[in-house]
Amino acid sequence: MHMVSFVRTSATIRSLLPRASSISKIMDSSSNAGTGGSQRLFTLAQHLRQYKAPSFPEDIVEQRIEESGGKVVTQVGFPEAATPVGQNPEKFRPKKAAVLICLFEGDDGDLRVILTKRSSKLSTHSGEVALPGGKAEEGDKDDGDTAKREAKEEIGLDPELVNVVTVLQPFLSKHLLRVVPVIGILNDKKAFKPVLNPAEVEAVFDAPLEMFLKDENRRQEEREWMGEKFLLHFFDYGVGHKKYLIWGLTAGILIRAASVVYQRPPAFVEQNPKFKVPQNVSNDTTLP
């Protein structure tokens, strides 16, 4: 079996979704007070349900490992289907997690996403910007259930307010955790009354989704691992007097989500990595 390249994956996404113009018309259409916004989000949800991420249940993953002799994974911030693993991929069994890309319509009619700033007391990724989410638990029915449960625990978002419309292909975190991005629609933003879990979250805010397709307020760093070069993207975003840096896994997921929603590539080169994960993966193994 031949590996599916990132370019081909992008082409597949384009073929499964409506044209960019249709998404733009949904978000740019005029609305009447009280009802127009909900109608636009309803229409957007219908379009996003047409997107089908590549299959990734564990049994299919294991079958592909056996057939291809190599599993595709990624560095923090890039799709799991970006790079091949080493010669003994059957040893690679990452733990599963899910994050919620919760979209709602802003006061100016733009599409926005809810983000958090992690507590500075956390042992890993303290103080960093993240999407609500976490590791899957035994009682979770699916990835959407995991993402919504974690969002409730972290920021008090009622799962009943979120309409899950699709999931994206998995990403791999720096600590080799398989993360499934779940796209959900929040029709009534006013019904969301944030209640932060101080042990995990310091702040909650929102940002325009389309920002992650633009070159404004963005910078990049070139990294290298095992002889392969790739780019990390950093987005600077300000809310009032507060400044946030969105980068790494979170930035990579939001770039992909924005590309899927708006059906166009970013205005910059992503340059995904194509390096191999070490054959001997342990709990201490991390990517750069």
Side-chain angles (χ1 to χ4, degrees), residues 55-77:
S55 299
F56 55 87
E58 291 298 327
D59 57 339
I60 296 179
V61 168
E62 292 177 2
Q63 180 181 357
R64 288 180 178 176
I65 289 174
E66 295 174 357
E67 292 178 351
S68 66
K71 176 68 181 72
V72 284
V73 297
T74 181
Q75 196 272 342
V76 54

Side-chain angles (χ1 to χ4, degrees), residues 20 40 104 169 184 186 205 214 237 244-245:
R40 282 191 288 181
F104 68 93
Q169 66 184 111
L186 177 63
F205 65 100
K214 300 178 179 180
Y237 182 66
Y244 297 101
L245 177 62

Side-chain angles (χ1 to χ4, degrees), residues 19-282:
R19 295 174 182 243
S21 58
S22 63
I23 296 294
S24 297
K25 288 178 180 178
I26 293 170
M27 299 313 300
D28 293 341
S29 60
S30 60
S31 61
N32 296 320
T35 59
S38 295
Q39 180 59 44
R40 282 191 288 181
L41 290 177
F42 175 77
T43 306
L44 177 63
Q46 288 183 311
H47 281 274
L48 288 176
R49 287 194 184 96
Q50 298 178 40
Y51 169 71
K52 301 297 181 183
S55 299
F56 55 87
E58 291 298 327
D59 57 339
I60 296 179
V61 168
E62 292 177 2
Q63 180 181 357
R64 288 180 178 176
I65 289 174
E66 295 174 357
E67 292 178 351
S68 66
K71 176 68 181 72
V72 284
V73 297
T74 181
Q75 196 272 342
V76 54
F78 296 94
E80 186 183 22
T83 60
V85 174
Q87 298 302 313
N88 296 314
E90 63 275 3
K91 294 182 179 180
F92 181 69
R93 293 292 185 273
K95 294 182 179 180
K96 297 180 64 176
V99 292
L100 181 63
I101 304 170
C102 189
L103 304 178
F104 68 93
E105 190 176 17
D107 293 337
D108 296 328
D110 58 337
L111 196 60
R112 305 184 70 84
V113 59
I114 295 175
L115 293 163
T116 70
K117 181 179 180 181
R118 289 167 58 85
S119 170
S120 58
K121 300 177 181 178
L122 292 171
S123 59
T124 59
H125 305 291
S126 60
E128 293 185 3
V129 172
L131 289 157
K135 294 181 181 178
E137 295 184 356
E138 187 174 350
D140 296 339
K141 298 177 182 178
D142 52 30
D143 296 312
D145 204 27
T146 298
K148 291 194 293 183
R149 173 184 54 75
E150 286 286 338
K152 181 179 181 180
E153 294 176 3
E154 292 179 2
I155 59 176
L157 178 58
D158 185 351
E160 296 298 323
L161 295 176
V162 180
N163 177 23
V164 172
V165 291
T166 194
V167 299
L168 306 182
Q169 66 184 111
F171 282 62
L172 200 71
S173 77
K174 180 177 181 179
H175 298 283
L176 303 185
L177 180 71
R178 176 178 290 141
V179 180
V180 178
V182 175
I183 297 183
I185 302 294
L186 177 63
N187 285 289
D188 188 0
K189 175 59 166 58
K190 294 181 179 179
F192 170 40
K193 309 296 182 183
V195 179
L196 307 188
N197 178 349
E200 297 187 49
V201 176
E202 282 187 7
V204 60
F205 65 100
D206 56 80
L209 182 66
E210 194 173 14
M211 176 181 77
F212 299 98
L213 295 179
K214 300 178 179 180
D215 208 18
E216 303 168 9
N217 303 316
R218 185 196 69 89
R219 52 192 170 86
Q220 64 189 38
E221 291 183 9
E222 186 177 72
R223 301 287 178 89
E224 182 175 337
W225 196 53
M226 296 182 69
E228 294 289 346
K229 294 181 179 180
F230 59 94
L231 296 177
L232 284 181
H233 301 278
F234 301 76
F235 294 87
D236 294 300
Y237 182 66
V239 182
H241 298 294
K242 297 182 179 180
K243 304 296 182 182
Y244 297 101
L245 177 62
I246 307 166
W247 71 287
L249 177 64
T250 300
I253 289 175
L254 291 172
I255 291 170
R256 169 49 57 88
S259 297
V260 168
V261 169
Y262 288 98
Q263 261 303 274
R264 70 175 192 265
F268 48 85
V269 177
E270 292 185 72
Q271 191 172 333
N272 298 311
K274 295 181 180 179
F275 49 77
K276 293 185 177 182
V277 170
Q279 296 180 19
N280 299 319
V281 177
S282 69

